[in-house]
Amino acid sequence: MAFNQTEKQEKEYLKQIISFLKKVIGNTDASVKDHVDTLAEYKDYIWSNKDIDPHEIRSMRESILNHFALGESVINKRKRLTKILAIPYFGRIDFLEKKENSKVMPTYIGIHTFYDPESRATLIHNWRAPVSSMFYDHELGEAGYRSPSGESKGEISLKRQYRIRGGKMEFMIESALTVHDDILQKELSSNADDKMKNIVATIQREQNRIIRNEDIRTLIIQGVAGSGKTSIALHRIAYLLYTFRDSISSKDILIVSPNKVFSDYISNVLPELGEKTVPETSMEQILSGVLEHKYKYQTYFGLVNELLEKPSSSLIDRIAYKASFGFISELDKFILHIENTYFKAADVKLTKYITIPAPFIEEQYHRFICYPLRRRFDAMADYMLDMLKIQYAFTVTTAGRNLLKKEIRLMFAGNNDIQVYKDFFKWTNNPGMFKMRKGHTLEYSDLAPLAYLHLALEGNGNQPFRVKHLLIDEMQDYSPIQYKVIQKLFPCRKTVLGDAGQSVNPYGSSTAETILKSLTASEIMKLCKSYRSTFEITDFAQKIHPNAELEPVAQHGEKPQILQFGSAVEELSGIMGLISTYRKSGYKSLGIICKTEQQARKMADMLKSYANDISFLSSQSSAFVQGIVITSAHMAKGLEFDEVIIPQTDERNYRSEIDKSMLYVAVTRAMHRLTLTFHEARPATH
């Protein structure tokens, strides 16, 4: 007899599951109370008995710690069960394995596993479990999955998807495809949330291949705008934490994020999937950390602003040069040059009667070639002094030892990073390619090469990074030399993701192919379907930045509008009118996206006098906010809004290559409605 054939039966079964969940939650409440009461008893006993035997105290301490641990485990279980009350599961497959005496196995799939404590049967399977992979990868008919126990083959006879909210089934769909279009369209047409949410119910086959890939050491994900690449990367992290939970935990993972707003925006995803949040950092923090935070430097945000507001051809030339593989090759040759020429051995007089000759010191310099250049000197000194002790029974004082180390270090001409870096440009006959800004501030494009040189001179033994998996988002915004530094610092597995079409610095950016050359043991996987925007918005974006690989999802909506006004005052009034229209709609978020932060700030100041519920997101902001947001295209990367307004989209404001990149980023933030405004001059999209 088939299990739960009709929708009515499914709804009754859902009620049973929820009732069962509530019962288990009630049991956990009782268990927590028992632990609390026991701990209170221990406390009272200790306070009322002052002369307790030390052995008894030790035993009680162990018991208290055990009760704390068990109580914490029960509380975590309760939290997990309470979370799934609203949406216990979202899918079901009936699978018959090709084995003797096997029975059809109805498998319900949700975010979390739920066991029947009495029968020990799994009532809900975790979406990351091996058996659940069939839900994403197979249609009705022949199917199979791999698990630690081997490969299982068989047949899927039923596949269903459910929309459950607040513990009630809104609808059920018999699915013949990976994720039924009806479900997907309903999810895509919903309004934007205040933060990124999990997408376990709508993961597509090509996305699932990326999430569950365990073989590729460094996975490079090239995803078009709206393909869900960041969300997929986070689901991949959740999958790896689940699959390899005995060897990797959330603290072993590091996310390289573009800014704090974006970090906050994605912060819900992993907790929703049952995992702890993971540490995050920025490329600038990593590079500055390598240099021991000794130098002031231009931020990436500051660089992009300069390129947008007052670019110079010499700055662009410097950025492009330092983003080339030829530059890396020259740096490597120069490091070899340092090895061969920067150390000049000299005699060292230790005492009145003992002098260490220069040839002997030179010999030790080459003996310790496996050490980074500056790390050799102490090792050389210790070795030479040990030889003196063995051969001549002579022990040097601490002062003599320190003197020798000091003298050897002075024989090396490369003890100052900045000076060595300047020497490099003289050596290549390109002194103009290095320019220190006012206040001894490094240009952003010099931060990674300087870190690369420092690592060659010092090694990375002092770095605090002990990471087992590195996730890098917005991969296109980092240059090959930055990836070379990353490779030296993090020899672990990596997930690298981004979109070459969304670079905000086209002069120093990377493609998936250039990253492939920079990182060892790497492979590219592509996400070509765009799920965020309507077909009309995606088609509009294609005219700004054509991408032959992009496949829009057939989700239709309003055509984007381009509104012309007679003056800046009229344009501002028009934007106010669009805000009024937004307030009357059912949309939850409106992004007003300007080209630069300066323009966004000015717009925010003007509009805030009109309404007090408008938020301004700057490079200094640390949290994402819902509602009406004014920000720059750079800060908007990775975010999405129900509606987007892009002011000042005339050909004067958007004229260069980088300007058009910013416009493309802004346009692709819109989910359902897009409006571009300008006054007087022709539109940039003309």
Side-chain angles (χ1 to χ4, degrees), residues 530-558:
S530 179
Y531 299 100
R532 175 185 296 134
S533 307
T534 62
F535 178 88
E536 288 75 13
I537 293 171
T538 301
D539 186 58
F540 185 85
Q542 284 281 73
K543 294 172 183 172
I544 300 169
H545 196 297
N547 184 347
E549 293 186 331
L550 188 146
E551 303 172 32
V553 171
Q555 174 204 0
H556 289 279
E558 302 174 30

Side-chain angles (χ1 to χ4, degrees), residues 95-105:
F95 179 67
L96 178 63
E97 193 174 0
K98 288 181 180 177
K99 277 186 182 178
E100 285 188 29
N101 303 319
S102 62
K103 296 179 180 178
V104 173
M105 181 174 66

Side-chain angles (χ1 to χ4, degrees), residues 375-636:
R375 295 290 175 187
R376 298 180 195 180
F377 308 138
D378 286 356
M380 287 165 59
D382 290 337
Y383 176 80
M384 286 185 286
L385 294 175
D386 286 344
M387 292 298 291
L388 277 174
K389 188 175 181 180
I390 293 167
Q391 293 187 16
Y392 303 106
F394 178 80
T395 302
V396 177
T397 63
T398 301
R401 183 179 292 271
N402 291 337
L403 172 68
L404 179 59
K405 290 180 178 181
K406 180 184 175 183
E407 290 295 323
I408 292 173
R409 278 195 291 271
L410 290 173
M411 296 173 196
F412 184 65
N415 290 311
N416 182 288
D417 287 345
I418 292 291
Q419 187 56 57
V420 174
Y421 193 45
K422 287 180 179 177
D423 290 350
F424 164 73
F425 291 102
K426 290 177 183 175
W427 183 76
T428 57
N429 295 316
N430 276 315
M433 283 294 162
F434 177 70
K435 183 181 178 181
M436 187 76 85
R437 299 297 181 92
K438 289 180 181 178
H440 297 285
T441 300
L442 289 167
E443 287 189 339
Y444 176 81
S445 58
D446 288 314
L447 197 58
L450 191 60
Y452 189 79
L453 267 178
H454 182 86
L455 288 170
L457 295 167
E458 290 278 357
N460 63 344
N462 292 335
Q463 296 306 314
F465 309 118
R466 295 292 181 268
V467 175
K468 293 181 180 179
H469 198 103
L470 184 72
L471 190 153
I472 302 176
D473 205 349
E474 302 295 346
M475 68 182 190
Q476 70 280 358
D477 291 339
Y478 307 121
S479 64
I481 187 67
Q482 289 175 312
Y483 282 110
K484 287 294 184 181
V485 174
I486 288 295
Q487 186 67 30
K488 285 179 179 288
L489 291 174
F490 303 98
C492 59
R493 292 180 176 272
K494 302 175 188 68
T495 300
V496 185
L497 62 137
D499 176 18
Q502 295 184 62
S503 172
V504 294
N505 172 20
Y507 317 111
S509 60
S510 292
T511 63
E513 287 71 25
T514 57
I515 298 168
L516 190 69
K517 288 174 65 178
S518 303
L519 300 177
T520 57
S522 55
E523 291 185 34
I524 299 170
M525 296 185 76
K526 293 186 177 184
L527 291 170
C528 298
K529 285 186 180 178
S530 179
Y531 299 100
R532 175 185 296 134
S533 307
T534 62
F535 178 88
E536 288 75 13
I537 293 171
T538 301
D539 186 58
F540 185 85
Q542 284 281 73
K543 294 172 183 172
I544 300 169
H545 196 297
N547 184 347
E549 293 186 331
L550 188 146
E551 303 172 32
V553 171
Q555 174 204 0
H556 289 279
E558 302 174 30
K559 283 188 176 181
Q561 292 189 82
I562 302 175
L563 303 180
Q564 181 176 7
F565 299 93
S567 67
V569 174
E570 288 181 17
E571 184 178 359
L572 184 66
S573 178
I575 292 170
M576 290 176 180
L578 291 169
I579 293 173
S580 295
T581 304
Y582 158 78
R583 294 187 197 282
K584 296 171 187 174
S585 71
Y587 296 146
K588 293 182 179 179
S589 62
L590 168 64
I592 302 172
I593 305 176
C594 301
K595 188 180 82 172
T596 67
E597 184 165 302
Q598 186 178 355
Q599 291 175 4
R601 190 182 299 276
K602 188 176 178 182
M603 180 65 65
D605 289 340
M606 290 188 293
L607 289 177
K608 278 184 175 179
S609 60
Y610 167 72
N612 58 10
D613 62 342
I614 296 177
S615 302
F616 172 55
L617 282 186
S618 74
S619 56
Q620 303 304 310
S621 301
S622 57
F624 181 75
V625 290
Q626 199 174 25
I628 304 173
V629 171
I630 300 177
T631 192
S632 65
H634 188 178
M635 284 299 297

Side-chain angles (χ1 to χ4, degrees), residues 227 259 340 355 374 388 426 449 460 538 572 587 659 662:
S227 59
N259 55 65
N340 294 328
T355 297
R374 291 182 193 151
L388 277 174
K426 290 177 183 175
N460 63 344
T538 301
L572 184 66
Y587 296 146
D659 292 341
M662 290 296 186

Side-chain angles (χ1 to χ4, degrees), residues 341-387:
T341 64
Y342 270 48
F343 187 78
K344 303 293 185 185
D347 295 346
V348 177
K349 192 171 182 177
L350 280 182
T351 69
K352 187 176 180 181
Y353 304 104
I354 297 177
T355 297
I356 300 178
F360 184 63
I361 295 174
E362 180 80 28
E363 184 184 327
Q364 307 321 309
Y365 175 74
H366 296 292
R367 178 190 292 274
F368 289 89
I369 196 168
C370 59
Y371 283 65
L373 285 160
R374 291 182 193 151
R375 295 290 175 187
R376 298 180 195 180
F377 308 138
D378 286 356
M380 287 165 59
D382 290 337
Y383 176 80
M384 286 185 286
L385 294 175
D386 286 344
M387 292 298 291

